[in-house]
């Protein structure tokens, strides 16, 4: 008689303890229904040593977090708990593909375990998921700490690159948004953020410390090597180091310092950009030079790099002058 029982995996799984996912007799596997077509999916419990994490685990291309950009600073909020428990109490969700565990949810937990000798990584692992199932589980299985927009940006760019290569054609923003369950506009924002120079991004201790308003501003000026030049003028925030004996309170204070330093750096970057982009008054010496000097009610004349910008307020301009303008625009001026 089978001792396998159905359990709910998927939405809100990160709020569920591993013990409640395994059958009462401590079976190492369970059966769940696919959220896509209802078929049975078998999940098995796996444990690996901390020193094997990087050898046996890789990021699923659908995972919203950027594995390459993880750092100690990005996992401080879970570091003490995993160290104290000798491993992650909330299992990582993964799929076994080609002998590697492709992590769908729980990259930060896997990374933290890899930093701590004598700890173990607990996983719940499936096999043979479809592309839609992979995308779904990666979307709903990492709810403890939502990846930052910059995390998502790098992951979306990597996903797009892989899908473009696999399909031998460029995947559209609409196709990406459908696959990821994101608004099309947010997908395009993410792709633009992912193109920001690493020299600037690396000024921060982790991607989660970069606020979205700063990203929006940086994208506006990401051309002609300007941001790379800006980055050279700032010192990166010092990377985090721990002795391994810090208390939870001490680690929390360190997080607060990183947050404060990151906010100050963002303010300084914005101030520098605004100062650089502040333009001096433009000198105009063109054919309409005399008109530019006149102060006429209802007409605002502003010199630009290519000539004059003229704004007319019809409620204030002299009707005779307005008629004159109309005549000229109609090409009837003698």
């Amino acid at each position: 008689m089978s001792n396998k029982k159905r359990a709910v995996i998927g939405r809100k799984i990160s709020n569920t303890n591993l013990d409640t996912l395994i059958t009462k007799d401590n079976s190492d596997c369970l059966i769940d229904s696919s959220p896509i077509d209802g078929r049975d999916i078998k999940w098995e419990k796996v444990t690996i040593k901390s020193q094997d994490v990087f050898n046996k685990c890789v990021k699923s291309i659908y995972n919203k977090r950027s594995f390459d950009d993880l750092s100690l600073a990005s996992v401080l909020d879970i570091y003490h708990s995993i160290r104290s428990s000798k491993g992650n109490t909330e299992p990582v969700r993964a799929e076994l593909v080609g002998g590697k565990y492709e992590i769908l949810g729980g990259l930060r937990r896997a990374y933290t375990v890899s930093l701590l000798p004598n700890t173990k990584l607990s996983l719940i692992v499936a096999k043979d998921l479809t592309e839609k199932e992979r995308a779904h589980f990666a979307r709903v299985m990492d709810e403890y700490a939502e990846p930052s927009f910059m995390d998502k940006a790098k992951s979306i760019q990597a996903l797009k690159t892989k899908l473009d290569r696999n399909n031998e054609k460029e995947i559209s923003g609409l196709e990406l948004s459908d696959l990821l369950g994101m608004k099309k506009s947010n997908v395009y924002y993410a792709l633009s953020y992912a193109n920001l120079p690493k020299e600037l991004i690396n000024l921060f201790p982790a991607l989660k410390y970069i606020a979205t308003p700063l990203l929006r501003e940086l994208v506006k000026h990401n051309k002609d090597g300007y941001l790379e030049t800006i980055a050279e003028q700032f010192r990166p925030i010092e990377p985090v180091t721990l002795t391994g004996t810090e208390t939870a309170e001490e680690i929390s204070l360190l997080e607060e310092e990183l947050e404060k330093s990151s906010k100050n750096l963002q303010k300084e970057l914005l101030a520098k950009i605004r100062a650089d982009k502040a333009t001096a008054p433009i000198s105009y010496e063109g054919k309409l030079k005399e008109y530019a000097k006149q102060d006429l009610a209802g007409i605002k004349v502003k010199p630009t790099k290519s000539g004059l910008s003229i704004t007319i307020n019809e409620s204030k301009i002299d009707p005779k002058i307005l008629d004159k303008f109309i005549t000229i625009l109609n090409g009837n001026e003698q």
Side-chain angles (χ1 to χ4, degrees):
M1 181 177 177
S2 174
N3 61 1
K4 299 172 185 176
K5 297 183 180 180
R6 292 188 182 278
V8 178
I9 294 185
R11 298 188 182 282
K12 304 300 181 186
I13 193 170
S14 59
N15 296 327
T16 310
N17 206 316
L18 175 62
D19 292 340
T20 62
L21 297 177
I22 305 301
T23 52
K24 291 182 180 179
D25 57 0
N26 202 32
S27 171
D28 284 341
C29 64
L30 56 95
I31 304 295
D32 183 38
S33 295
S34 167
I36 306 301
D37 60 15
R39 72 183 181 90
D40 282 350
I41 298 176
K42 180 181 177 182
W43 298 79
E44 294 185 338
K45 179 182 176 182
V46 175
T47 302
I48 61 178
K49 297 179 180 179
S50 62
Q51 62 265 33
D52 293 329
V53 169
F54 278 114
N55 294 327
K56 296 183 177 181
C57 296
V58 295
K59 164 183 153 34
S60 167
I61 195 65
Y62 292 102
N63 193 297
K64 295 180 289 186
R65 204 176 297 280
S66 174
F67 201 16
D68 295 338
D69 293 280
L70 284 173
S71 63
L72 180 54
S74 65
V75 298
L76 286 176
D77 56 321
I78 58 175
Y79 179 89
H80 186 269
S81 172
I82 289 178
R83 187 188 70 188
S84 301
S85 301
K86 301 295 183 182
N88 55 308
T89 56
E90 183 61 37
V92 165
R93 279 73 181 177
E95 179 189 13
L96 183 61
V97 180
K100 296 277 188 177
Y101 299 114
E102 293 195 1
I103 298 176
L104 299 162
L107 267 181
R108 295 196 317 136
R109 279 165 273 165
Y111 178 78
T112 306
V113 168
S114 75
L115 298 176
L116 294 164
N118 302 318
T119 58
K120 292 183 178 181
L121 182 69
S122 296
L123 308 95
I124 291 182
V125 182
K127 296 180 182 178
D128 303 321
L129 298 179
T130 67
E131 292 298 315
K132 287 186 177 180
E133 286 168 346
R134 291 178 185 125
H136 170 82
F137 287 128
R139 186 164 67 245
V140 302
M141 282 184 165
D142 220 347
E143 295 175 343
Y144 174 75
E146 178 72 8
S148 68
F149 215 121
M150 196 62 203
D151 266 307
K152 295 178 184 177
K154 293 208 168 189
S155 292
I156 290 171
Q157 184 188 54
L159 174 61
K160 184 180 186 306
T161 300
K162 182 174 182 178
L163 294 178
D164 287 348
R165 184 171 61 248
N166 290 349
N167 298 329
E168 296 184 348
K169 67 175 184 177
E170 186 173 2
I171 186 171
S172 69
L174 181 59
E175 290 172 313
L176 269 177
S177 65
D178 288 341
L179 188 61
L180 297 169
M182 294 176 63
K183 291 181 179 179
K184 183 179 177 181
S185 59
N186 285 343
V187 169
Y188 285 120
Y189 277 130
L191 292 174
S192 65
Y193 297 159
N195 288 325
L196 291 170
K198 63 180 182 180
E199 294 88 346
L200 195 66
I201 299 303
N202 290 345
L203 293 176
F204 295 87
L207 297 182
K208 70 178 183 179
Y209 292 103
I210 309 174
T212 304
L214 175 66
L215 295 174
R216 291 197 190 103
E217 188 65 25
L218 292 176
V219 166
K220 298 177 186 177
H221 309 289
N222 189 20
K223 55 186 177 181
D224 302 326
Y226 172 69
L227 293 182
E228 288 87 342
T229 302
I230 287 291
E232 294 174 356
Q233 301 174 45
F234 290 85
R235 294 183 61 184
I237 295 173
E238 289 293 327
V240 173
T241 57
L242 295 176
T243 64
T245 61
E246 289 82 2
T247 65
E249 290 76 16
E250 288 172 332
I251 293 176
S252 179
L253 287 174
L254 180 56
E255 270 198 286
E256 290 178 11
E257 281 299 314
L258 290 177
E259 184 74 32
K260 182 179 178 181
S261 298
S262 297
K263 286 182 178 179
N264 288 337
L265 176 57
Q266 291 178 89
K267 289 179 182 178
E268 291 171 5
L269 283 169
L270 288 173
K272 174 60 179 172
I273 290 172
R274 287 165 184 161
D276 286 349
K277 298 304 176 181
T279 55
I282 298 173
S283 176
Y284 175 75
E285 298 295 333
K287 293 181 179 180
L288 300 175
K289 179 178 179 180
E290 294 304 316
Y291 292 98
K293 295 179 179 180
Q294 294 183 29
D295 184 13
L296 301 174
I299 300 179
K300 184 177 180 181
V301 180
K302 180 181 178 182
T304 68
K305 291 181 179 180
S306 58
L308 290 179
S309 170
I310 301 175
T311 305
I312 298 174
N313 185 334
E314 290 187 40
S315 65
K316 294 183 178 180
I317 190 173
D318 185 317
K320 293 182 180 180
I321 295 178
L322 180 57
D323 289 341
K324 187 74 170 178
F325 264 106
I326 295 173
T327 302
I328 293 172
L329 292 174
N330 286 332
N332 296 325
E333 179 71 0
Q334 298 298 322

